Amino acid sequence: MKAPKAVTDRPNLRGTPAELIRLMRSQATLWGTIDATGRWAVSFRERNDVLFFRVDRGSCQLLRPGADPLRLGPGDVVLARTSCPITLASDVESESIDSWALVASTRSRYMQVGTVGGKSALIRGGRFVFDAGSEQLLASLLPPLLHVASGTAASDRVRALLAMIEAEAHGSGPVTEFVVVRLMELLLVGLLRDETFEVKAPSSGLLAGLADPVIARALAALHGDIARPWTTSVLARLCGTCRSGFSTHFKRVVGVAPMTYLHRWRMAVARDELRKGRLAIGEIALLVGFRSGSAFSTAFSRVVGCSPTRFAA
């Protein structure tokens, strides 16, 4: 089946990645530096987080199970979701060292690895940890890997932000820690908002949707009014396409059906409002598109695994 005809008036969704990160309650840390020579490999475990890498000097390969090696050069930036183990290495044959074990043994985030002699590489990076309740949303919306090549505007901004982060990291105290975390989150949002990134296969998820004129219009409508009683047919008409073609295209690009996406987003907004504690459960139900508190509670319990009252306690 052919993809629906693209609409010409693509909406402005520049705030959506920031909204997504806020609702998934990310916590950012600067995990450190890999200073490598010769043959080396450092592995990162499968976790509910997103890793950030930037190659400052030399080159390396990023290895993932079932995927071709990705060669990274100076200035390249990668955002990798740890839905599977990830390894940075000089070559595919080098024996890897577990990053957690290395940091634990040295009590330092500055990791010196490799053999004597040979080419050197310097890689800096960080970790973004998300609320466990957002794992499903994270997996369905963000692609496994984003690669920003050197020489792009995004890469230049990353370099500037990292310089600010490193300058702050040399300080101490709660203010410094707060500034570093905010800068890391700004770095993440900047990468997700950039129009020059290269989405690696499978190219599906929220970012792929934002790059598609038809899906971007639908996403703008859903995010702009999540309480509206949306249907796939209404969205299709809004985008100027037929229902079946729109539904197939949305699922192929985003990875889930339109109403599934809307339901997950509503639950993410609801979790955020429950944490804030400013609205009653009935008010939150109306805010995210449910006609009654009981219907909302049933849907919330099915997705999150507990009632809204217990979640907010």
Side-chain angles (χ1 to χ4, degrees):
M1 182 179 296
K2 294 182 178 180
K5 183 179 179 181
V7 293
T8 55
D9 52 336
R10 180 179 175 179
N12 181 358
L13 267 189
R14 300 298 283 174
T16 299
E19 182 183 4
L20 173 69
I21 297 307
R22 179 182 64 81
L23 289 174
M24 291 197 298
R25 311 289 288 190
S26 67
Q27 297 179 6
T29 60
L30 188 65
W31 58 251
T33 301
I34 297 176
D35 190 349
T37 56
R39 299 191 66 190
W40 60 275
V42 177
S43 62
F44 299 84
R45 302 175 187 179
E46 180 179 341
R47 293 171 54 90
N48 178 35
D49 60 14
V50 172
L51 296 179
F52 155 79
F53 304 103
R54 184 180 189 275
V55 180
D56 281 359
R57 183 181 72 240
S59 63
C60 68
Q61 296 191 52
L62 188 147
L63 311 174
R64 294 178 297 151
D68 293 334
L70 174 63
R71 184 169 182 79
L72 303 174
D76 281 4
V77 176
V78 166
L79 201 64
R81 181 159 52 85
T82 55
S83 52
C84 64
I86 295 170
T87 300
L88 294 180
S90 59
D91 58 89
V92 297
E93 301 296 334
S94 294
E95 183 176 354
S96 66
I97 300 173
D98 180 76
S99 59
W100 282 77
L102 183 58
V103 170
S105 64
T106 62
R107 296 184 179 182
S108 172
R109 293 180 179 177
Y110 186 85
M111 294 177 270
Q112 286 188 297
V113 296
T115 58
V116 177
K119 297 181 179 179
S120 65
L122 186 68
I123 302 156
R124 305 180 194 276
R127 181 185 305 276
F128 301 92
V129 180
F130 296 89
D131 185 334
S134 300
E135 183 175 2
Q136 187 181 45
L137 185 66
L138 176 68
S140 64
L141 299 186
L142 297 183
L145 192 71
L146 295 180
H147 175 211
V148 180
S150 63
T152 63
S155 179
D156 292 341
R157 285 195 295 270
V158 168
R159 183 173 63 250
L161 278 170
L162 273 181
M164 296 171 65
I165 290 168
E166 289 182 300
E168 287 290 338
H170 288 303
S172 61
V175 174
T176 290
E177 181 179 354
F178 174 83
V179 172
V180 169
V181 170
R182 297 287 85 76
L183 286 172
M184 288 291 292
E185 291 177 349
L186 180 61
L187 185 152
L188 175 59
V189 172
L191 281 172
L192 296 183
R193 290 179 61 185
D194 194 82
E195 296 178 350
T196 63
F197 60 72
E198 178 183 356
V199 180
K200 296 298 181 181
S203 62
S204 64
L206 177 63
L207 299 184
L210 295 177
D212 183 284
V214 174
I215 305 305
R217 181 166 185 163
L219 291 173
L222 293 176
H223 283 256
D225 188 4
I226 64 170
R228 180 175 173 177
W230 292 104
T231 65
T232 302
S233 297
V234 170
L235 283 173
R237 287 197 298 270
L238 177 68
C239 295
T241 71
C242 68
R243 182 189 182 283
S244 61
F246 170 78
S247 180
T248 300
H249 187 55
F250 191 102
K251 187 171 183 179
R252 180 181 64 80
V253 173
V254 180
V256 294
M259 294 302 100
T260 300
Y261 174 91
L262 174 61
H263 187 66
R264 291 178 179 177
W265 188 253
R266 283 172 168 170
M267 293 299 104
V269 173
R271 285 196 300 268
D272 193 54
E273 290 298 333
L274 287 167
R275 290 190 189 95
K276 293 176 182 176
R278 297 183 303 191
L279 301 176
I281 291 176
E283 293 175 309
I284 295 175
L286 294 175
L287 177 69
V288 297
F290 289 84
R291 294 184 178 181
S292 69
S294 60
F296 165 67
S297 294
T298 299
F300 187 91
S301 299
R302 186 182 301 116
V303 172
V304 180
C306 66
S307 68
T309 302
R310 183 177 176 183
F311 183 89

